[in-house]
Amino acid sequence: MRFVCKGEYMKELPFPNEIMIEATNVCNNKCFFCGSNASDRKRGIIDYDLMIRLINEAYLNGSRKISFHGMGEPCLCKELLQYIAEAKKVGYTYIYLDTNGVLATPEVIFPIIDAGLDSLKFSIHASTSETYKRITNNDAFEAVTDNFKKIGTYIKEEKKVCKLIGFFAESTINSKETDSFVEMFKPYATEIWIKPIHNGSGVMQENVKYAVNESVSAIKELPCVELKRMTINWEGDAIACSTDWTGSLKYGNIKDYSLKELWNCERINEIRVEHQSINTLGKICRRCMGVNDEAT
């Protein structure tokens, strides 16, 4: 079968090895640089039956890597443990999760690790309570730190295979704390990631004011790596980018089509063709790369 887009023919692409399913877009933090702040999407949590369908359907189509985070905090989803257990049961070889850590208590996370989680990333962004509150608008640094240390200790003492990542999005607000962040969390972490803040897939252009010696663009090269995986939000929409806060890159809904049909539909193929050159990118993707047409 062949699909037409913009006058060009494209062969059917094999289903991706990776799928990201958004458990919820509700978040208990309000990080100043996050594109979620500019989103007017309806807030909610994915339907249980829909999630179970997606886990199984994606696996049958060929996916082996899966995550359950998106634009919100996955620990707000009460069925998170069941989803990870289901993914492990059907055969996924890599299951990963991002959290802000506030609700990632040992009571929540230990069973999730035991169920088969392969990687857990804590987005912390600070090494002091004061800086943490400035960035996240939440006075929860001590709780997050305690959760991280207890989980790291559990993984090491129980010899769990789960990777624990301490993540630090660097900006002018926290740049003086990079060394202390590493010192504080490295003894408990598998890896420490320090990366510059980005522009929230083009919707947070003001983040450039907080950049530290580097562009805040999210896309670094074309075609974007987001096009190598499938992303489904909590409402069942297939979106071309996991951080498409505006919802403008939707290309269909799982309630109307199968995952395989969506992966090769006309709209996503149009987006793939657009990614052949920066000059043919759509508006949101151009802004993601730091090209502000409105300023020229």
Side-chain angles (χ1 to χ4, degrees):
M1 187 173 183
R2 300 169 76 86
F3 300 83
V4 182
C5 54
K6 292 196 172 182
E8 299 184 32
Y9 285 90
M10 298 183 69
K11 292 182 179 179
E12 180 177 355
L13 295 179
F15 200 77
N17 181 63
E18 179 180 355
I19 185 167
M20 176 181 285
I21 308 172
E22 180 184 67
T24 180
N25 67 339
V26 179
C27 192
N28 52 331
N29 276 0
K30 196 174 180 63
C31 298
F32 80 91
F33 58 83
C34 183
S36 180
N37 300 325
S39 174
D40 59 1
R41 281 181 57 208
K42 179 181 177 181
R43 307 285 173 167
I45 297 175
I46 196 168
D47 175 75
Y48 176 84
D49 290 336
L50 176 58
M51 176 66 89
I52 296 300
R53 173 198 160 184
L54 292 171
I55 292 170
N56 284 272
E57 188 174 332
Y59 183 84
L60 290 174
N61 278 311
S63 289
R64 294 298 180 266
K65 184 176 182 180
I66 190 169
S67 68
F68 300 103
H69 58 268
M71 302 177 193
E73 170 50 50
C75 290
L76 287 167
C77 180
K78 295 179 180 179
E79 294 83 10
L80 184 60
L81 172 59
Q82 293 171 260
Y83 298 151
I84 290 171
E86 178 71 12
K88 179 59 65 172
K89 183 182 75 173
V90 300
Y92 283 91
T93 56
Y94 195 81
I95 306 169
Y96 65 104
L97 200 64
D98 285 12
T99 177
N100 60 40
V102 178
L103 301 177
T105 63
E107 292 76 17
V108 171
I109 298 301
F110 287 1
I112 285 175
I113 292 173
D114 294 344
L117 187 68
D118 294 287
S119 177
L120 177 64
K121 185 177 79 175
F122 267 59
S123 294
I124 306 174
H125 315 311
S127 64
T128 63
S129 295
E130 180 183 5
T131 301
Y132 181 87
K133 188 173 182 179
R134 286 184 66 193
I135 291 173
T136 66
N137 290 287
N138 192 350
D139 191 14
F141 180 73
E142 299 302 329
V144 172
T145 300
D146 186 59
N147 289 340
F148 190 91
K149 291 180 177 180
K150 286 179 178 177
I151 291 168
T153 300
Y154 178 73
I155 289 172
K156 290 182 180 180
E157 290 184 350
E158 300 299 321
K159 296 180 172 56
K160 298 295 181 178
V161 297
C162 183
K163 180 190 301 182
L164 181 63
I165 301 166
F167 181 58
F168 184 102
E170 187 179 10
S171 67
T172 55
I173 293 176
N174 62 8
S175 60
K176 294 182 179 179
E177 295 186 9
T178 54
D179 290 343
S180 55
F181 180 85
V182 173
E183 183 179 358
M184 179 178 292
F185 295 103
K186 188 175 181 179
Y188 305 91
T190 310
E191 297 177 8
I192 297 291
W193 294 1
I194 297 178
K195 300 182 179 181
I197 60 170
H198 60 70
N199 63 20
S201 292
V203 300
M204 298 291 288
Q205 295 293 320
E206 61 269 31
N207 284 350
V208 70
K209 297 184 298 184
Y210 302 96
V212 180
N213 300 323
E214 193 166 344
S215 168
V216 299
S217 66
I219 296 178
K220 302 299 182 183
E221 59 183 26
L222 296 176
C224 180
V225 295
E226 291 284 345
L227 296 179
K228 296 180 180 179
R229 67 182 172 195
M230 191 168 205
T231 300
I232 306 291
N233 68 21
W234 76 269
E235 296 171 284
D237 292 317
I239 51 178
C241 176
S242 63
T243 57
D244 174 21
W245 311 98
T246 64
S248 63
L249 296 178
K250 296 177 186 177
Y251 57 92
N253 192 285
I254 189 62
K255 297 170 186 176
D256 302 315
Y257 302 96
S258 69
L259 285 175
K260 191 172 183 180
E261 288 173 328
L262 287 170
W263 183 247
N264 281 288
C265 74
E266 183 175 358
R267 176 56 185 142
I268 187 59
N269 279 332
E270 289 176 347
I271 294 172
R272 290 172 183 141
V273 170
E274 291 172 359
H275 274 246
Q276 293 177 1
S277 166
I278 190 172
N279 296 320
T280 56
L281 285 177
K283 181 178 179 180
I284 186 173
C285 297
R286 285 175 63 80
R287 288 174 64 84
C288 188
M289 289 199 75
V291 180
N292 189 351
D293 296 313
E294 295 172 1
T296 59

